[in-house]
């Protein structure tokens, strides 16, 4: 098996992981905004996500001769290491639940703020657990200030979201001087039953927007509307697969925090699978190598994702239209991008674990600064924060700078695990 020998190699893997894990959510969000059902997208994603783990196991896991304490992938498949296998599979299950949840959270809360919240909880809980599981091999005087910087960036991210939401309300209210513009902001526009929505709780129902004869509704569609304008926001809602206008704000936040807890647990579970800190293996049985653990981790992630998404085809949630397995098979619109997202996530997770095995999983959690990358894609692809206020731009810049500092500090804390 191939083993990372130095800290430089481990950090290089973490940087690659950061780029991959920050990019695949943007691809998934792009497909949802184009109207592809999230069940179809996630089924495609799950296939290539597993393929990445298999490729890593068959290449890096088989390089070189098998050693008694570091067996190759095929050798380890037949060994009595089921306690560690179960830890790896448990990590895959919680990651699958977290990823499945975030594809809905991106629509309700937005790409940037979803990534900021989930990553903050992961750093606070997951990194702290990994620090103690790793026998404190990371430099605590560097590691925990890095965690603190990350949390500062989280608060800045929340401020960015709040400021940008206020900007969007102002755009919608100035969209026209008639009833529609105020309805988008205050939620007092009447729904299909001619009943007013509650002020401050809901946004206008998109069906009502479509029926309105206001000046906003008569303007060009998203393709011709400039990003950041009220027309763009309204037309985006008409096209996307997950309708968010008219939803309660706590629905999205609940999904985000559920995903956050899942993400904070998968890395410590993988750590236990590869290092057996709780001494669950029989004497003489070697620990799971990172490639074998990642294979089992990805298999459980794949099985749960396929089962849940096939069920969601026929019993969708949050108002998403019903589908079928036959409809999924024939849906080639955006499939190549969903498959690419699965590869990026699979290799991103694999590189994170490979780097963590060498430098410590607490330092490898520096990839949780992936909102730095996701925010870039959010601005470049989706026009997030376009035409926003000066206050929003200042907060956004401060958040990104703090993320850069947090990544640098957490990577500087990396130690080297003794064989």
């Amino acid at each position: 098996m191939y083993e990372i020998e130095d800290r430089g190699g481990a950090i290089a893997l973490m940087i690659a992981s950061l780029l991959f894990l920050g990019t695949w959510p943007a691809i998934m969000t792009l497909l949802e905004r184009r109207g592809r059902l999230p069940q179809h997208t996630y089924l495609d994603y799950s296939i290539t996500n597993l393929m990445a783990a298999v490729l890593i196991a068959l290449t890096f896991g088989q390089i070189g001769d098998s050693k008694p304490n570091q067996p190759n992938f095929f050798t380890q498949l037949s060994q009595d290491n089921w306690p560690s296998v179960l830890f790896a599979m448990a990590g895959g299950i919680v990651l699958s639940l977290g990823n499945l949840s975030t594809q809905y959270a991106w629509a309700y809360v937005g790409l940037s703020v979803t990534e900021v919240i989930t990553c903050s909880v992961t750093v606070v809980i997951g990194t702290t657990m990994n620090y103690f599981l790793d026998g404190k091999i990371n430099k605590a005087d560097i590691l925990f200030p890095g965690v603190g910087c990350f949390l500062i960036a989280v608060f800045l991210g929340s401020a960015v979201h709040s400021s940008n939401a206020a900007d969007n309300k102002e755009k919608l209210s100035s969209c026209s001087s008639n009833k529609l513009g105020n309805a988008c902001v205050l939620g007092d526009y009447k729904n299909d039953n001619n009943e007013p929505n509650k002020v401050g709780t809901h946004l206008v129902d998109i069906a009502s927007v479509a029926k309105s004869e206001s000046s906003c509704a008569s303007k060009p569609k998203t393709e011709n509307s400039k990003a950041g304008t009220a027309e763009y926001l309204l037309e985006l809602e008409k096209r996307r697969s997950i309708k968010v206008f008219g939803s309660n704000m706590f629905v999205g936040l609940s999904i985000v925090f559920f995903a956050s807890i899942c993400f904070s647990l998968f890395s410590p579970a993988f750590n236990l699978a590869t290092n057996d800190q709780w001494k669950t293996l029989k004497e003489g049985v070697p620990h799971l190598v990172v490639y074998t653990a990642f294979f089992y981790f990805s298999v459980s992630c794949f099985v749960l994702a396929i089962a849940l998404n096939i069920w969601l085809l026929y019993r969708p949630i949050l108002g998403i239209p019903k589908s079928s397995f036959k409809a999924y098979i024939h849906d080639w619109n955006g499939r190549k991008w969903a498959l690419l997202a699965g590869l990026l996530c699979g290799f991103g997770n694999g590189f994170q674990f490979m780097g963590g095995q060498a430098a410590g999983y607490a330092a490898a959690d520096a990839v949780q600064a992936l909102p730095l990358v996701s925010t870039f894609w959010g601005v470049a692809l989706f026009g997030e924060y376009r035409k926003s206020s000066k206050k929003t731009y200042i907060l956004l810049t401060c958040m990104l700078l703090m993320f850069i500092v947090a990544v640098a500090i957490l990577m500087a804390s990396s130690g080297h695990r003794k064989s």
Side-chain angles (χ1 to χ4, degrees):
M1 57 163 277
Y2 178 76
E3 185 178 9
I4 307 298
E5 298 290 346
D6 57 78
R7 191 175 71 170
I11 291 177
L13 285 174
M14 286 186 254
I15 292 175
S17 177
L18 172 63
L19 294 175
F20 290 174
L21 293 178
T23 299
W24 78 267
I27 297 175
M28 302 281 274
T29 301
L30 178 64
L31 293 175
E32 184 274 323
R33 287 182 170 218
R34 288 181 174 178
R36 194 168 198 248
L37 293 179
Q39 307 97 306
H40 293 186
T41 299
Y42 205 84
L43 286 168
D44 289 334
Y45 152 90
S46 299
I47 294 171
T48 48
N49 188 56
L50 177 63
M51 286 176 56
V54 173
L55 287 173
I56 289 175
L58 295 179
T59 52
F60 292 113
Q62 284 295 117
I63 294 176
D65 297 329
S66 184
K67 302 176 183 178
N69 62 332
Q70 291 181 330
N72 284 345
F73 172 65
F74 286 128
T75 302
Q76 196 154 51
L77 289 178
S78 60
Q79 294 178 341
D80 186 14
N81 45 31
W82 278 104
S84 293
V85 168
L86 292 177
F87 277 123
M89 297 183 76
I93 289 172
V94 292
L95 178 67
S96 184
L97 290 172
N99 283 341
L100 183 62
S101 301
T102 53
Q103 71 172 343
Y104 295 95
W106 293 325
Y108 279 89
V109 183
L111 177 62
S112 299
V113 73
T114 296
E115 297 304 313
V116 165
I117 293 176
T118 55
C119 290
S120 68
V121 177
T122 300
V123 167
V124 173
I125 300 177
T127 300
T128 302
M129 293 175 66
N130 279 324
Y131 172 73
F132 290 102
L133 287 173
D134 283 337
K136 304 179 182 179
I137 69 173
N138 300 98
K139 304 177 182 70
D141 56 338
I142 301 178
L143 175 65
F144 288 106
V147 173
C149 289
F150 207 106
L151 289 177
I152 293 174
V154 167
F155 290 116
L156 288 171
S158 299
V160 170
H161 173 61
S162 176
S163 180
N164 190 57
D167 293 341
N168 286 340
K169 287 183 178 182
E170 184 176 353
K171 293 172 190 175
L172 292 169
S173 63
S174 62
C175 177
S176 93
S177 59
N178 64 19
K179 185 177 181 181
L180 175 63
N182 293 328
C184 295
V185 181
L186 301 176
D188 60 359
Y189 195 76
K190 292 182 180 180
N191 59 25
D192 289 338
N193 297 323
N194 204 38
E195 297 172 347
N197 290 328
K198 294 181 180 179
V199 176
T201 304
H202 295 79
L203 292 175
V204 64
D205 190 298
I206 194 59
S208 300
V209 174
K211 293 177 181 178
S212 174
E213 296 181 359
S214 71
S215 60
C216 290
S218 64
K219 290 190 177 182
K221 295 187 181 296
T222 307
E223 290 80 355
N224 300 320
S225 301
K226 292 183 179 180
T229 63
E231 294 82 10
Y232 181 90
L233 297 174
L234 293 172
E235 293 298 337
L236 172 62
E237 177 69 9
K238 294 179 184 178
R239 187 175 59 177
R240 71 190 318 163
S241 60
I242 303 176
K243 306 300 182 184
V244 298
F245 280 13
S247 63
N248 191 298
M249 60 177 290
F250 293 107
V251 173
L253 289 176
S254 298
I255 297 172
V256 170
F257 281 108
F258 173 77
S260 301
I261 298 299
C262 293
F263 287 146
S264 68
L265 297 177
F266 84 85
S267 181
F270 193 91
N271 195 350
L272 286 166
T274 55
N275 296 299
D276 192 35
Q277 291 93 335
W278 292 352
K279 307 299 180 184
T280 58
L281 293 175
K282 296 179 181 178
E283 186 175 354
V285 177
H287 295 173
L288 280 186
V289 298
V290 66
Y291 309 107
T292 309
F294 186 48
F295 170 76
Y296 284 117
F297 173 94
S298 299
V299 167
S300 65
C301 187
F302 172 80
V303 171
L304 181 62
I306 294 296
L308 285 178
N309 278 279
I310 289 178
W311 184 75
L312 289 172
L313 287 174
Y314 300 93
R315 295 182 178 274
I317 58 176
L318 301 175
I320 297 173
K322 283 187 178 182
S323 184
S324 65
F325 191 74
K326 181 179 180 181
Y328 157 69
I329 293 295
H330 290 91
D331 181 13
W332 288 90
N333 182 27
R335 172 158 287 162
K336 61 183 179 181
W337 293 108
L339 296 173
L340 175 61
L343 285 175
L344 290 175
C345 184
F347 281 110
N349 284 328
F351 290 165
Q352 178 188 4
F353 295 143
M354 290 167 65
Q357 183 66 10
Y361 288 99
D365 278 338
V367 302
Q368 297 305 327
L370 58 90
L372 183 68
V373 179
S374 296
T375 299
F376 168 79
W377 289 120
V379 172
L381 288 179
F382 311 133
E384 288 185 350
Y385 314 114
R386 197 75 55 85
K387 298 182 181 297
S388 293
S389 64
K390 183 178 179 180
K391 175 184 176 182
T392 299
Y393 288 136
I394 292 174
L395 289 170
L396 178 63
T397 301
C398 292
M399 182 192 75
L400 297 179
L401 289 175
M402 188 56 65
F403 269 120
I404 293 173
V405 172
V407 172
I409 292 177
L410 261 67
M411 287 188 171
S413 75
S414 61
H416 188 76
R417 192 183 306 278
K418 297 180 181 179
S419 300

